[in-house]
Amino acid sequence: MPAPRQYPDGLRERAIREVQASGRPVAHVAKDLGIHKEAPRGWVHQAEALNGSFKATKLGAAQTAG
């Protein structure tokens, strides 16, 4: 049995929308929402994979460039 989710679905959706719409770093959006900076990173990548689109976050773009 999987562990219960720590964050509600609405918060996850809001974080994903804010990162994709604003282009701000995931850590900044997470801080504004009062959640751990790594929490939304996976959500954003999963949403992009499900949608078939890839919008590189600033961290993701730096990792692929280096």
Side-chain angles (χ1 to χ4, degrees):
M1 180 176 200
R5 292 185 175 204
Q6 184 174 359
Y7 300 106
D9 290 338
L11 180 62
R12 291 171 184 252
E13 292 168 5
R14 181 176 173 197
I16 293 167
R17 277 194 315 269
E18 286 193 32
V19 169
Q20 291 178 338
S22 69
R24 294 173 56 217
V26 175
H28 292 189
V29 172
K31 183 177 180 182
D32 290 348
L33 296 175
I35 57 179
H36 190 274
K37 65 181 181 179
E38 292 298 321
R41 191 172 313 282
W43 306 338
V44 170
H45 288 290
Q46 183 179 18
E48 290 167 349
L50 291 173
N51 292 332
S53 64
F54 180 77
K55 295 179 183 176
T57 61
K58 291 183 181 184
L59 176 62
Q63 288 175 343
T64 57

